[in-house]
Amino acid sequence: MGDLIQLIVSGIATGAIYALAALGFTLLWQAAGVINFSQGEFVMLPAFAILLFIALGAPLWLAFLLACVAAMLVLGIGFKWVIVDPLIRHGVIPLVIATLGLSIGLKSTLKAGYSAEAHPFPSPFPGGQFSIADVNISYADIGTLVVAGFVVISLQLFLNRTVTGRAMQAVAQNTDAAKVLGIDVKRMVLYTFLINAVLAAVAALLVTPTYLAKFDMGDAIGQKAFFAAIIGGFNQTRGALLGGVLIGVLENLVGFYVSPAYKEGVALILFLVVIVFRPEGLLGRAEERKV
Amino acid sequence: MNRTRTFGLVAALIAFAVLPNFLKSYGVYLMTLFCVYLMAIFGLNLTVGYAGQMSLGQAAFLGIGAYQAAIFLKLGWPIFIVLPVAGIVCFIVGLILGFPALRVQHHYLAFATLGFNILVYLVMRNEEKVTGGTFGIPGIPRPSLFGYSLDGALPFFYFTFLSVVVLALFLWWLLRSPWGRAFAALRDNPMRATSLGINITAYTLLAFAIGAACAGVGGVYYAALVQFIEPAPFHFSASLTMLLAVIVGGSGRFFGPVLGTIIVVLLPEWLRFMQNWYLAVFGFAVVALMIWLPGGLLSIPERLRWKGAAK
Amino acid sequence: MKRNAFLLTTMFAAAFAAPAYAQPKPIPIIGLMELSGTGATAGTNFDNGVKLAVKEINAGGGILGRKIEYTSMDTQSNPGVAKALAQKAVDLGAYVVMGPVFSGSFIVSMAETKRAEIPNFTGGEAANITQQGNPFVFRTSFTQSTAMPKLAKYIDDTVKAKSVAMIWVNNDFGKGGRDTMAKALEERGIKVAADISTDPGQVDFSGAVLKAKQSGADALFVYTNEEESARALRELKKQGYDRPIIGETTLTGQKVIELAGDAANGAVAHVGLTADAPQPAIKAFDQKFQSEYKYRSDHNGMKGYSGMYVVKAITEKIGKVDSKAFATAMHGARISAKDAPGVLLDVSFDQNGDLDRESFLVKVENGKQVVTAILPPVSAK
């Protein structure tokens, strides 16, 4: 029993990180129709930005805040202006290809220009663990859960309780109607890109201590985020959360009770099943085919 | 115009056929590898360029063909049986995979193929009894043709080269058949095509399955060329490279894959001095291409003509 | 015309080769190295080791008066590429081929060098490399079948563990090591309490570590590549693992210690070569390597370096640059570090191309490898 609880807790912690990246992924899709295949690199770059600021003498918290700002500028505004805006009118596929190219470009630039090896990354949480009954839980898992939970809840509150947040949701649901209502659609879409950048930076802070900073660290998290988003429901914010946590927990359980060799396959099989039987995702609503 | 084009094509084919005689074994190996990838990428162009679908799993079909060939060639099966088996198996798998995905929404095929590729990769790596696991399958024999051994680098190159030409001719014929013409109609005006009674889903599915079969056939040549297979070349990232090859060359253009394959297979060899920067430049070049030239490199002449006409 | 050209060449040759009558042709040696991909750490180190040795040898007049011309090519840690590059090395007329370092690549590429009858050195440790009767392969390190029994003995005699949990990486290297180790443990009556496979490039070790913990084994054996070792060590610390953590070579490598930070402290490993060994030849190497590359060499750097000096020693022994004669002379050769300090430790080669020499037991203390024991060569017992 202790094993099971421990596996679930650490699974939720890992899943929460997937969920952060997946959340940004669905937000971008809803607001701008962007399927971002370079989401993993959007997590990798802030990790290296944090290392850079630390090397320049900043403490971890300051380095993280600076990395957030940098991410908003480059991965938020820059990404939107340089890549999304010119391409969005061509439809989904050219943009998907462009983000695939971007992913290769960013990874390889870092590899060629800086380093092909892994680099250590400081943990924001203390090491060690505490025990309740026979369940051992590490401080790092608790810390991850608290931070990720805080970010997700604030985001939900922002989206549901503020005027700007509601306007963003209106844009996500129906761009034309939002325009008629007098909402500044362009500005709302820009906000979405900024939020995505910050979510990626938070994910970087939480995931890099265990993943280690490496040019291809985004592959794993990008893929998980992608699966999580589709499993949960591509067009629902809550779906990304459910998908992320579900993958995190199931991976741990399968890795422990079934076979570690097929741990990676869990997300995949769930993903294929969802595509076949419930293509709109577990929590998603069916989308009409746009002709 | 048309005559110069035909002449150019024949000249290019002859040059390509003669060139390996002046190369050492590594050069011949690379040119053969080029032909192998060209088969898979020709097939992918059918899916991406003509049916307008994203497929991120071409490497999985290449892998299925290769593993199947490795196992059967080692059992001593003749190449004339191994080749069609690879094609048919991949064709059927393509149908099974494509049907549920295409039923739903257009970009779901991309998702399904991506997932499929990763799953196939996991199976290759973990099912050691069948696939050799991470140790792979070594010592794959080169086939022989009518008792003539293709063991040498040059004979095998010519065999592969001829095969890719035959495959290209087949696809050329296919696209000019009534069935293929329906595609042009589909691509240019889906609404009108539907109203004319063209079943979009059925055509798209067939295109995808034939594309998969091409990769399966390519896989047979891959296994016989390298004579050793393991999971790595069939990783999802290889599918990505093949997809980008189609797009960069010019998707939906018959010779787009040729240019694309040159760029992803041969060019890195000539630009070896760039080392890791090659991929970096390639990645950003794809982004730039999408922004300024979404039709791929082969659309340049058209673009120029169009600009000239606009003046 | 032809004569003029000849004259010109002679003049040039005479101008450049002051002491000799003509500059002899350099000896081409090719390196097939994992300079990118999962093997980048190992390949880069091996390559740097070879380059350092080549630089020293050339500065000292080369081999038999001929300079070495060393070219390294990147296999991208991909066996298919390695095989193709081996063909290229043959085309370029290599005297000896160094690498690839990874066993999986080597198994494939060695067919090419065998066909061309060119001696081929590897850094790989998989047992099956030298079990295929290829007379042209030679190791620069122990095979797993030499190393694992030494380690099993340590687990039995010193740690006194009755059961062991194993975390290994599911590639040719890890699987081969796991199989040999399982056998070695079984022979000593030690139980394998948990058998945990992990993926190459795996980032999340929480499940693996938890499984090891829950197995209740007396000790943990970790056998993965560098980065994964570091991730595993970090996770072990995170979950508060308190039993002995034992590994083979990679677990206590420089890169692992750098990446794992204080999580590496306390880890124990058997190492064929370590820059921390007390021998004067190794100390000298350590300093030269550090001043050349500004970092400390791991065992792979030492493999490349000593391997190159083996090439020099044997070539000088046979007195000519002849690939086939070289291969013949290698079998049964003994090279003493006293005569050829570049080989670092006394070394001998058997009929299969396997090598034998002393090895070390090291422990990580305060972020540093410390040698705790020197184990004698197998043949010396």
Side-chain angles (χ1 to χ4, degrees):
Chain A
M1 196 55 203
D3 294 357
L4 186 66
I5 296 175
Q6 200 171 330
L7 282 170
I8 291 176
V9 171
S10 82
I12 294 178
T14 318
I17 304 176
Y18 298 158
L20 287 179
L23 204 56
F25 196 84
T26 49
L27 285 176
L28 282 193
W29 167 251
Q30 289 178 43
V34 178
I35 301 180
N36 183 15
F37 270 98
S38 47
Q39 189 77 354
E41 281 61 44
F42 278 36
V43 176
M44 178 273 283
L45 285 179
F48 278 94
I50 292 173
L51 283 184
L52 173 71
F53 292 124
I54 288 179
L56 292 177
L60 181 59
W61 63 270
L62 182 64
F64 168 68
L65 289 182
L66 290 173
C68 279
V69 175
M72 280 158 79
L73 289 176
V74 178
L75 305 177
I77 301 176
F79 175 58
K80 181 171 183 293
W81 280 358
V82 177
I83 295 174
V84 177
D85 285 350
L87 272 168
I88 194 75
R89 60 203 153 83
H90 294 310
V92 178
I93 290 189
L95 196 50
V96 164
I97 304 278
T99 59
L100 285 173
L102 184 67
S103 156
I104 294 178
L106 291 175
K107 258 191 301 215
S108 315
T109 303
L110 197 96
K111 181 179 168 192
Y114 181 55
S115 161
E117 296 192 345
H119 297 266
F121 190 92
S123 171
F125 311 111
Q129 57 180 357
F130 64 93
S131 315
I132 309 168
D134 60 340
V135 182
N136 301 310
I137 293 170
S138 69
Y139 292 119
D141 282 348
I142 295 297
T144 301
L145 271 178
V146 169
V147 173
F150 172 76
V151 170
V152 168
I153 292 171
S154 347
L155 183 64
Q156 288 291 344
L157 285 178
F158 169 74
L159 287 177
N160 293 328
R161 301 282 167 84
T162 64
V163 178
T164 319
R166 289 184 175 207
M168 286 175 66
Q169 287 200 317
V171 171
Q173 274 157 21
N174 190 333
T175 315
D176 294 333
K179 237 180 223 160
V180 174
L181 288 173
I183 293 173
D184 185 348
V185 171
K186 275 192 186 148
R187 171 168 292 196
M188 296 306 139
V189 171
L190 180 65
Y191 286 164
T192 315
F193 279 83
L194 294 179
I195 291 175
N196 179 47
V198 173
L199 287 174
V202 177
L205 177 73
L206 297 178
V207 86
T208 323
T210 40
Y211 276 32
L212 300 176
K214 196 182 174 193
F215 72 96
D216 63 357
M217 64 177 276
D219 289 356
I221 190 158
Q223 229 169 58
K224 297 284 163 55
F226 177 76
F227 290 149
I230 292 167
I231 290 171
F234 211 20
N235 46 29
Q236 284 292 324
T237 325
R238 281 173 298 140
L241 291 180
L242 176 75
V245 172
L246 207 57
I247 293 179
V249 172
L250 275 178
E251 271 185 355
N252 257 8
L253 293 181
V254 170
F256 192 79
Y257 291 109
V258 186
S259 150
Y262 279 98
K263 183 177 160 232
E264 297 296 308
V266 179
L268 217 64
I269 289 167
L270 193 60
F271 167 81
L272 288 176
V273 168
V274 164
I275 282 190
V276 172
F277 295 104
R278 207 179 145 73
E280 67 274 20
L282 296 177
L283 296 180
R285 49 178 198 281
E287 242 173 276
E288 279 144 41
R289 196 183 274 243
K290 287 175 192 160
V291 182
Chain B
M1 177 64 205
N2 219 344
R3 189 180 266 179
T4 43
R5 221 184 234 194
T6 318
F7 179 75
L9 184 63
V10 171
L13 281 175
I14 292 174
F16 196 85
V18 172
L19 186 61
N21 290 292
F22 303 100
L23 294 174
K24 288 187 174 174
S25 61
Y26 181 66
V28 181
Y29 169 86
L30 266 184
M31 291 187 71
T32 320
L33 192 68
F34 168 82
C35 293
V36 169
Y37 277 108
L38 192 53
M39 293 183 203
I41 294 173
F42 260 135
L44 189 60
N45 189 30
L46 207 60
T47 317
V48 177
Y50 291 92
Q53 289 294 323
M54 286 260 293
S55 166
L56 288 167
Q58 197 72 345
F61 292 112
L62 190 73
I64 292 174
Y67 271 92
Q68 180 278 121
I71 292 164
F72 291 142
L73 284 176
K74 282 196 100 167
L75 289 177
W77 287 26
I79 187 86
F80 282 119
I81 299 188
V82 176
L83 272 177
V85 168
I88 292 166
V89 166
C90 287
F91 182 81
I92 295 171
V93 174
L95 286 183
I96 297 173
L97 179 70
F99 180 69
L102 285 172
R103 203 173 39 118
V104 199
Q105 231 188 6
H106 53 276
H107 45 259
Y108 270 80
L109 186 70
F111 301 162
T113 46
L114 190 162
F116 173 70
N117 201 151
I118 299 173
L119 200 61
V120 167
Y121 181 78
L122 278 179
V123 171
M124 284 173 184
R125 208 178 56 203
N126 291 319
E127 296 310 310
E128 207 177 311
K129 282 189 192 114
V130 186
T131 64
T134 51
F135 297 105
I137 303 180
I140 303 164
R142 289 253 168 98
S144 55
L145 208 60
F146 308 119
Y148 179 70
S149 164
L150 297 171
D151 212 18
L154 269 179
F156 191 74
F157 164 77
Y158 283 115
F159 177 52
T160 316
F161 176 57
L162 276 181
S163 309
V164 81
V165 171
V166 170
L167 184 79
L169 286 174
F170 166 73
L171 291 176
W172 180 266
W173 167 82
L174 196 70
L175 288 167
R176 255 138 207 79
S177 70
W179 183 82
R181 280 171 201 278
F183 265 115
L186 251 180
R187 201 181 32 176
D188 299 339
N189 192 341
M191 294 286 249
R192 183 159 170 273
T194 329
S195 64
L196 285 174
I198 297 174
N199 182 342
I200 301 188
T201 310
Y203 272 88
T204 314
L205 186 59
L206 266 179
F208 173 64
I210 295 175
C214 290
V217 169
V220 175
Y221 290 87
Y222 183 90
L225 169 67
V226 184
Q227 297 182 283
F228 164 79
I229 51 168
E230 45 108 29
F234 313 116
H235 189 254
F236 155 68
S237 55
S239 293
L240 204 67
T241 310
M242 287 193 251
L243 176 70
L244 293 180
V246 170
I247 304 277
V248 168
S251 64
R253 283 159 203 282
F254 193 79
F255 291 105
V258 181
L259 187 59
T261 312
I262 289 176
I263 289 172
V264 301
V265 178
L266 296 182
L267 211 53
E269 197 56 34
W270 290 322
L271 299 179
R272 200 164 268 283
F273 64 92
M274 288 175 72
Q275 294 181 349
N276 289 330
W277 287 107
Y278 178 80
L279 262 185
V281 172
F282 177 72
F284 289 122
V286 168
V287 178
L289 201 70
M290 281 300 104
I291 295 176
W292 287 298
L293 205 66
L297 290 177
L298 281 187
S299 69
I300 291 177
E302 227 164 80
R303 193 51 102 73
L304 292 177
R305 232 175 296 141
W306 184 75
K307 270 211 172 137
K311 266 180 198 163
Chain C
M1 183 63 210
K2 214 170 197 176
R3 211 158 120 193
N4 275 347
F6 175 72
L7 222 84
L8 214 64
T9 337
T10 336
M11 275 165 65
F12 262 101
F16 282 105
Y21 356 79
Q23 177 78 347
K25 250 177 62 192
I27 305 173
I29 292 183
I30 309 281
L32 310 174
M33 298 293 160
E34 286 83 352
L35 300 179
S36 61
T38 47
T41 305
T44 310
N45 265 295
F46 196 98
D47 192 42
N48 284 342
V50 174
K51 279 184 181 151
L52 181 62
V54 167
K55 194 177 155 191
E56 288 174 16
I57 293 171
N58 282 346
I63 301 178
L64 301 172
R66 288 170 66 179
K67 293 266 156 76
I68 301 169
E69 191 181 66
Y70 175 71
T71 323
S72 54
M73 302 188 279
D74 182 12
T75 69
Q76 302 159 29
S77 309
N78 178 337
V81 177
K83 183 184 155 88
L85 290 179
Q87 285 180 0
K88 195 168 174 180
V90 171
D91 289 351
L92 292 171
Y95 168 53
V96 167
V97 172
M98 307 298 284
V101 182
F102 271 22
S103 309
S105 293
F106 191 83
I107 287 278
V108 180
S109 68
M110 74 184 200
E112 300 299 325
T113 47
K114 181 186 176 189
R115 195 177 306 166
E117 304 187 321
I118 296 173
N120 198 172
F121 283 79
T122 182
E125 289 165 7
N128 58 353
I129 291 179
T130 43
Q131 289 163 358
Q132 307 185 357
N134 181 337
F136 293 93
V137 298
F138 304 100
R139 290 192 193 270
T140 54
S141 61
F142 288 117
T143 93
Q144 289 164 338
S145 47
T146 323
M148 296 306 172
K150 282 189 174 187
L151 203 52
K153 183 172 184 311
Y154 166 78
I155 292 174
D156 195 8
D157 297 350
T158 314
V159 185
K160 301 199 189 309
K162 294 272 161 281
S163 61
V164 172
M166 299 205 282
I167 294 181
W168 48 279
V169 57
N170 189 8
N171 58 20
D172 48 287
F173 157 78
K175 185 78 171 38
R178 178 230 162 256
D179 293 349
T180 342
M181 189 61 174
K183 214 175 109 206
L185 289 173
E186 193 190 335
E187 278 166 7
R188 291 181 171 270
I190 299 171
K191 208 180 105 211
V192 176
D195 190 14
I196 306 156
S197 107
T198 60
D199 287 337
Q202 180 162 323
V203 284
D204 183 359
F205 280 81
S206 56
V209 166
L210 189 61
K211 204 162 180 176
K213 264 176 87 177
Q214 305 298 345
S215 73
D218 297 334
L220 172 66
F221 175 63
V222 179
Y223 198 61
T224 56
N225 299 115
E226 276 90 354
E227 282 162 21
E228 293 79 6
S229 296
R231 293 190 187 110
L233 286 171
R234 282 184 159 224
E235 186 66 32
L236 284 161
K237 182 172 158 54
K238 186 176 143 192
Q239 295 198 21
Y241 189 80
D242 53 2
R243 304 272 163 85
I245 303 168
I246 302 160
E248 219 292 310
T249 308
T250 42
L251 186 68
T252 54
Q254 292 299 328
K255 187 74 195 169
V256 177
I257 296 176
E258 183 203 325
L259 289 172
D262 56 357
N265 289 338
V268 174
H270 167 258
V271 216
L273 290 165
T274 167
D276 289 302
Q279 280 81 352
I282 297 183
K283 285 210 148 68
F285 160 81
D286 185 29
Q287 276 176 3
K288 281 183 281 189
F289 193 96
Q290 283 200 57
S291 68
E292 181 81 16
Y293 300 109
K294 312 288 170 240
Y295 75 97
R296 283 197 91 181
S297 169
D298 72 353
H299 60 281
N300 279 308
M302 304 177 76
K303 286 189 215 166
Y305 182 85
S306 59
M308 199 60 229
Y309 271 104
V310 168
V311 173
K312 178 171 186 277
I314 298 293
T315 310
E316 282 170 351
K317 196 170 139 195
I318 57 176
K320 56 184 172 178
V321 177
D322 180 309
S323 293
K324 267 177 97 169
F326 181 92
T328 318
M330 275 296 288
H331 294 114
R334 271 175 186 284
I335 304 164
S336 137
K338 233 184 274 153
D339 309 337
V343 299
L344 301 176
L345 291 168
D346 294 356
V347 60
S348 61
F349 290 86
D350 68 6
Q351 289 309 316
N352 296 329
D354 283 331
L355 64 67
D356 193 10
R357 62 183 163 210
E358 287 176 336
S359 60
F360 308 92
L361 210 58
V362 304
K363 186 171 187 176
V364 181
E365 280 170 12
N366 297 320
K368 280 212 167 86
Q369 271 192 12
V370 180
V371 174
T372 55
I374 299 178
L375 308 178
V378 183
S379 55
K381 54 174 172 186

